[in-house]
Amino acid sequence: MSAGCAICGRPMAPEYRPFCSKRCANVDLQRWLGGVYAIPAVEDDESDSAPVTENDEP
Ligand SMILES: [Zn+2]
């Protein structure tokens, strides 16, 4: 695992660890405060969304 900004992956700045900048730190903060955005959180039930590409029939 390479150490980098938890948000964008750039080299992190000591001041803003584990982020590279205040901006990324804010992004992470907003996730906690404002809820998860841009991240499809919990989706365990996906049964009929898979494209049928296999033919299992003999
Ligand atoms: Zn970053």
Side-chain angles (χ1 to χ4, degrees):
M1 299 278 290
S2 59
C5 174
I7 300 298
C8 67
R10 287 171 156 187
M12 64 177 71
E15 305 172 46
Y16 300 113
R17 274 178 15 188
F19 310 105
C20 68
S21 62
K22 177 126 192 218
R23 189 185 166 193
C24 282
N26 279 332
V27 171
D28 187 72
L29 188 64
Q30 302 251 341
R31 284 186 183 173
W32 286 96
L33 295 181
V36 189
Y37 78 100
I39 293 183
V42 273
E43 277 188 67
D44 285 46
D45 292 291
E46 48 173 277
S47 47
D48 54 348
S49 59
V52 182
T53 51
E54 306 176 25
N55 289 331
D56 290 329
E57 298 181 32

